[in-house]
Amino acid sequence: MAVARFGRQVKRPGGFCIKMTAVAILGLCFIFVWSMFSSSSSSVTTRIESFDNIGAPPGSRNTRVNIPATQSSIKGEDEKKFNGSVTLSAHEHKSEKKDQKEVANVKKGKGKKKLPEKVSKLKHGSEESESEDSEKEKEDEDEEREVVDGKEEALNDEGEVNGEETGGEGAFIVSLDQESEEKLEDDGGESEERGKKRYKIKGPLFDPKAHYHWKLCSTRSKHNYIPCIDMEITTGRLQYRHTERSCPRTEPMCLVPLPRDGYGSPVPWPDSKVKILYKNVQHPKLAAFIKEHSWVMESGEYLTFPQNQSELRGGILHYLESIEEMVPDIEWGKNIRVVLDIGCTDSAFGASLLDKDVLALALGLKDDLVDLAQVAIERGFPALVSPFGNRRLPFPSGVFDAIHCGGCTIPWHSNGGKHLLEMNRILRPGGYFVLSTKHDSFEDEEVMSKLAASICWNILAHKTDEVSDVGVKIYQKPDSNDIYELRRKKYPPLCKENDNPDAAWYVPVKTCLHAIPSAIEQHGTEWPEEWPKRLERYPDWLSDKDKLVADTKHWKAIVEKSYLTGLGIDWSNIRNVMDMKAIYGGFAAALSQQKVWVMNVVPVHTPDTLPFIFERGLVGTYHDWCESFGTYPRSYDLLHVDHLFSRLKNRCKQPVSIVVEMDRLLRPGGWTIIREKVEILEPLEGILKSLHWEIRMTYAQGKEGILCAQKTMWRP
């Protein structure tokens, strides 16, 4: 009635004043509602601080740290400033009004202060200038892609926007590797992944109102649960491992329990080379294995590893020296830097090579149930668990300087020699394949020789060592295609030109030979520089070296000025590190002087930069983070996550399962450093708190932030 009466009054001759009054009332109501929303309890107060140069460790382990406003710069031909940062919190902060350059009120997820749309680029000290319209266009056109047969195809439906914005005077805070990744995608860069359905997630990646109630996994493999490798059956005899990678239909949302006898803090490096806590790796089959092998011994609560002891008589050092004597071109730690150790039967091999500056990645095949890869990881050596059946291993082509198979039981000559052909794919042109056996039958030896000759491997040496009583064969892969044309029988045939040798995720092993790279734009045409020169040498086949130089400088500055000194991490307790979204390996290269090793994971939906990471003398693997990673629980001391979640919005059915997987990968007491959008970090902080992780530090600037957290011993 009142509204109708008001309407009749408006129509009268004097209704103009009433109209103006109504407009004024509506305007006041709008201002009131706007102020209510803009002063949310979870608003972020902007304080210009150092985002990438956190200068002091946290004063309290359980509180956030506010550092006085500082600015630092990287000096080059032109001075580039780091952006400041703001404190990120899910709690209420009072707005402080200061100098216009220092303070701006920011709504949760959306900055009230206008942010620059253009991202400045560091390129030999000079900035590339591009129009704001074209830059915004690039961000908006970052379409979701579906991969078919190893190649990306753009979808017509709406995809996620991966462009990052940042405030402040400079834009250096945006990860240069992420910027370069987006450019590569715009340029049509290929990525290899398993063709699978996209999940359209409406709204935020993580529901900020969700409440999580966790429970322990009730799997038969208990504290050693590897979801995509363990086979869980309810009746009959338990078979622990799949012969192929096979993940559960639904991502696990349970937490892996701790070992039955409890979990102790790992022995720090380098003491872990000679002893580890037995209860951390206890396994039913391991006890029987220890009784039969002299290179590992039980001593009280520890497993000990006597120096220079191995399954080989005469010791592992004699074994390595005899290999160099047989082939002098094998110079451990110089000419040979990256080695794949098939089978992981004796971690003394990787331990001794590490003393020679060789990075040996052990491949645990998980067919003997002994869990020796877990022993290697606990000792602080690089290891990966993967079945080796009908699918390619998760590595690009031509990246390993040498491959070693010491007493492994792989039938190289079976099924058309497909396993040896897979070794040929991942072995660098001119690389070495070292095969050693104690008791090789004459028939197997003859078949192996014929197979090696059919793929043109040259036998450089064949000798039975009198001390170790082990027969050693050293093969070399050809470094050009000329020899392939000289074969009498063209079997195995050369692979088709459209068969991408770098496609490795869920790709079947082919019984064909890939041509040796010959074009200058292909990786593998030249042998890398000696270590450590190769770490910062950029080969001719890289198209844009300026981006890589900038990326290296970027991560070096962040690691030195922030990660090593400003996050409160005790790096003497850090040995096993994973970069969950490595691009050029800049983060791992920045840690090269630290006593750590880094597993560089290149997600399958991003541009393929893994060959360059190996070229630098580092190790890594392909992976799809919508699935579980191939390693044991409690493998890593530190996880580095740079803008991974924001790129998985339309890929994973349950993005929260990635956080659950991080909890499985990380050791109790381990750390994670997450760089992400504020809109993702805020609910993510709540998820980590529900897991009883301790949030050590959070910072943000504009729409970007950083979170540092530590996992506890808590289990539900």
Side-chain angles (χ1 to χ4, degrees), residues 206-217:
F206 301 116
D207 184 359
K209 297 181 180 179
H211 296 280
Y212 300 94
H213 302 281
W214 304 104
K215 63 179 182 179
L216 290 178
C217 299

Side-chain angles (χ1 to χ4, degrees), residues 456 478-487 494 513-519 522:
C456 302
D479 57 4
S480 70
N481 294 306
D482 298 340
I483 195 170
Y484 291 153
E485 302 299 327
L486 300 177
R487 295 183 300 166
L494 292 178
L513 279 171
H514 286 98
I516 304 295
S518 57
Q522 293 177 294

Side-chain angles (χ1 to χ4, degrees), residues 493-523:
L494 292 178
C495 299
K496 296 180 180 178
E497 291 185 1
N498 61 356
D499 185 353
N500 183 2
D502 294 330
W505 191 248
Y506 285 92
V507 176
V509 174
K510 308 290 180 63
T511 53
C512 62
L513 279 171
H514 286 98
I516 304 295
S518 57
I520 193 172
E521 64 273 9
Q522 293 177 294
H523 70 86

